[in-house]
Amino acid sequence: MDATSAPSTLMTGPSRAVALEVLLRGPVSRSEIARRLDLSAGSLTRLAKPLVDHGLLVEVDAGGDPESGTVRRTRPLDINPAAHHFIGAKVTGDDVHAVLTTMRAGVVASAHTPLPGRDPASVVAAVRELTGQLTAEHPTISRVGVSLGGRVMDHTTVTEAPFLGWSQDVPLGSLLADALGTPVTVDNDLLALTRAEHWFGAARGHDRFAVITIGAGVGYGLVMHDTIVDTPDVGVGLLGHCPLDPMGPLCPSGHRGCATAMLSEHSIRAAVSVGLCRPVTYDECLDLAADGDPVATAVVTASGRALGRLLAAVANFTLVQKIVLTGEGVRLAEVARSAVDEGIHADRAQRAVPLDVDVQHSDFTHWARGAAATAIQTYVLGDAPASG
């Protein structure tokens, strides 16, 4: 039987738990699965067999030591990542970026298209167009995930999307499901990105960590005790209002020296442009700072120090030891590395555990992959993405 035709009824109850264990930790031995799920060997065999028969799980080579002749008698189980495919789409105010992924969120193909408009019909049309392009060679997909900046209720209704100008409820999930003929899950983009890092990314295997993004704004996601903190306030951008420098510039909300004022690409560009009396791009600001330009160096150093203070504040308040730092503006952390470290050390106790800051370069494909991760979670766990 074609693996993609494995019925969703397999992903229920104890069988779902087995599949999830292998998806997140595979390749993994049967004895380890049984131990972690408190199953007998016979029960595990009974639950795993249909998953293997339908191609969702596969046996993989356990290795061994050829010189000593040692060969493991049991073969670990792993997910067949190509058993199911998913679409993830990230919607911005100007365009839509989409990816086709495997079941472990491995990107198989990507595409993007400008938005013909910011109304719901235009968004649906753009996602439908990209889905058609990406499924030309993989016509069977299990679910579509869509993420955007704003508030999302019940993973289907967008209640607010500032970049699109939406301030009233939009049933985007049902509109897309009708247009695509495929189940659709809608998520806040920061939550979706955090889900991807939790299950398949830099924080895989960590039960508590934070995700901070810098770019057009400042975003924040949090996982505690293996559970993502899912709240409508994620879409408000609360961390962007965190005060960092009492002498800093103003943000659009009138806050002086807040995270948005100190770390957003627009704010950094504006400050350097004023000093140089000419417009500059964000990358040019960083290039000039790296080359020692006095104006750019002063601005980027102040921003780097503010970023370090923000990282320290998040770690101090949540007690996480790992932070994934990403977003389109993340190059700041490298150009201003010494200033970032200075900001962290200034606000962290000397005896505190060293903070693990994992800098991940990203583009909109990375965000789209987050939307696919939400779709994968929904498929594996049921009607709503995982809180953990």
Side-chain angles (χ1 to χ4, degrees), residues 289-347:
D291 291 338
D293 176 85
V295 172
T297 297
V299 172
V300 170
T301 298
S303 293
R305 190 179 300 111
L307 176 57
R309 296 198 65 194
L310 183 68
L311 296 171
V314 168
N316 291 346
F317 284 126
T318 65
L319 300 180
V320 299
Q321 297 174 7
K322 183 179 183 68
I323 295 179
V324 178
L325 180 63
T326 188
E328 304 82 70
V330 76
R331 187 178 162 220
L332 170 67
E334 296 176 339
V335 175
R337 176 62 184 271
S338 59
V340 173
D341 290 341
E342 178 186 333
I344 292 175
H345 295 152
D347 289 358

Side-chain angles (χ1 to χ4, degrees), residues 1 21 49 103 147 154 176 192 288 309 324:
M1 179 181 293
E21 190 69 25
K49 186 177 186 304
M103 200 163 185
S147 72
D154 298 328
L176 282 167
L288 288 169
R309 296 198 65 194
V324 178

Side-chain angles (χ1 to χ4, degrees), residues 23 84-90 97-109 134 142-148 183 185-189 191-193 195-197 199-200 364-380 385:
L23 175 66
H84 294 271
H85 287 91
F86 299 82
I87 295 287
K90 157 67 172 172
H97 299 257
V99 294
L100 174 76
T101 78
T102 65
M103 200 163 185
R104 277 214 174 102
V107 176
V108 176
L134 293 173
S142 298
R143 184 172 284 267
V144 173
V146 176
S147 72
L148 44 72
T185 301
V186 183
D187 204 3
N188 168 268
D189 54 2
L191 287 175
L193 187 65
R195 297 182 205 282
E197 296 296 347
W199 274 29
F200 308 113
F364 284 116
T365 297
H366 193 65
W367 290 89
R369 180 176 177 266
T374 293
I376 294 167
Q377 284 195 349
T378 305
Y379 179 78
V380 174

Side-chain angles (χ1 to χ4, degrees), residues 36-344:
R36 294 185 66 92
L37 299 180
D38 195 23
L39 295 171
S40 67
S43 295
L44 177 60
T45 298
R46 175 177 55 82
L47 294 170
K49 186 177 186 304
L51 298 173
V52 174
D53 289 346
H54 284 88
L56 181 63
L57 301 187
V58 292
E59 293 182 330
V60 295
D61 188 1
D65 186 352
E67 293 185 1
S68 66
T70 300
V71 178
R72 297 184 183 181
R73 295 184 178 181
T74 60
R75 303 181 70 192
L77 290 175
D78 202 359
I79 283 285
N80 174 10
H84 294 271
H85 287 91
F86 299 82
I87 295 287
K90 157 67 172 172
V91 180
T92 75
D94 301 310
D95 46 23
V96 179
H97 299 257
V99 294
L100 174 76
T101 78
T102 65
M103 200 163 185
R104 277 214 174 102
V107 176
V108 176
S110 62
H112 76 278
T113 186
L115 272 178
R118 293 181 176 177
D119 57 290
S122 295
V123 172
V124 170
V127 174
R128 181 172 54 194
E129 176 187 342
L130 293 177
T131 299
Q133 292 180 27
L134 293 173
T135 56
E137 295 185 7
H138 298 277
T140 303
I141 56 174
S142 298
R143 184 172 284 267
V144 173
V146 176
S147 72
L148 44 72
R151 293 185 170 190
V152 179
M153 182 176 64
D154 298 328
H155 299 285
T156 184
T157 302
V158 179
T159 60
E160 182 181 14
F163 291 107
L164 294 170
W166 297 357
S167 57
Q168 297 181 336
D169 291 0
V170 175
L172 186 60
S174 59
L175 292 175
L176 282 167
D178 291 342
L180 301 176
T182 303
V184 175
T185 301
V186 183
D187 204 3
N188 168 268
D189 54 2
L190 244 300
L191 287 175
L193 187 65
T194 304
R195 297 182 205 282
E197 296 296 347
H198 187 198
W199 274 29
F200 308 113
R204 183 181 181 188
H206 291 264
D207 66 349
R208 56 192 179 103
F209 66 93
V211 173
I212 294 178
T213 64
I214 54 176
V218 178
Y220 173 50
L222 181 66
V223 168
M224 296 296 291
H225 306 298
D226 229 19
T227 300
I228 191 167
V229 178
D230 188 343
T231 165
D233 282 345
V234 171
V236 178
L238 295 177
L239 194 67
H241 299 290
C242 179
L244 299 173
D245 186 344
M247 303 300 292
L250 295 172
C251 79
S253 298
H255 303 145
R256 184 170 295 281
C258 68
T260 298
M262 299 299 298
L263 302 176
S264 70
E265 291 183 357
H266 174 78
S267 295
I268 293 173
R269 285 171 46 216
V272 176
S273 296
V274 168
L276 294 178
C277 299
R278 64 180 178 87
V280 292
T281 66
Y282 180 71
D283 282 332
E284 188 178 359
C285 293
L286 299 180
D287 291 340
L288 288 169
D291 291 338
D293 176 85
V295 172
T297 297
V299 172
V300 170
T301 298
S303 293
R305 190 179 300 111
L307 176 57
R309 296 198 65 194
L310 183 68
L311 296 171
V314 168
N316 291 346
F317 284 126
T318 65
L319 300 180
V320 299
Q321 297 174 7
K322 183 179 183 68
I323 295 179
V324 178
L325 180 63
T326 188
E328 304 82 70
V330 76
R331 187 178 162 220
L332 170 67
E334 296 176 339
V335 175
R337 176 62 184 271
S338 59
V340 173
D341 290 341
E342 178 186 333
I344 292 175

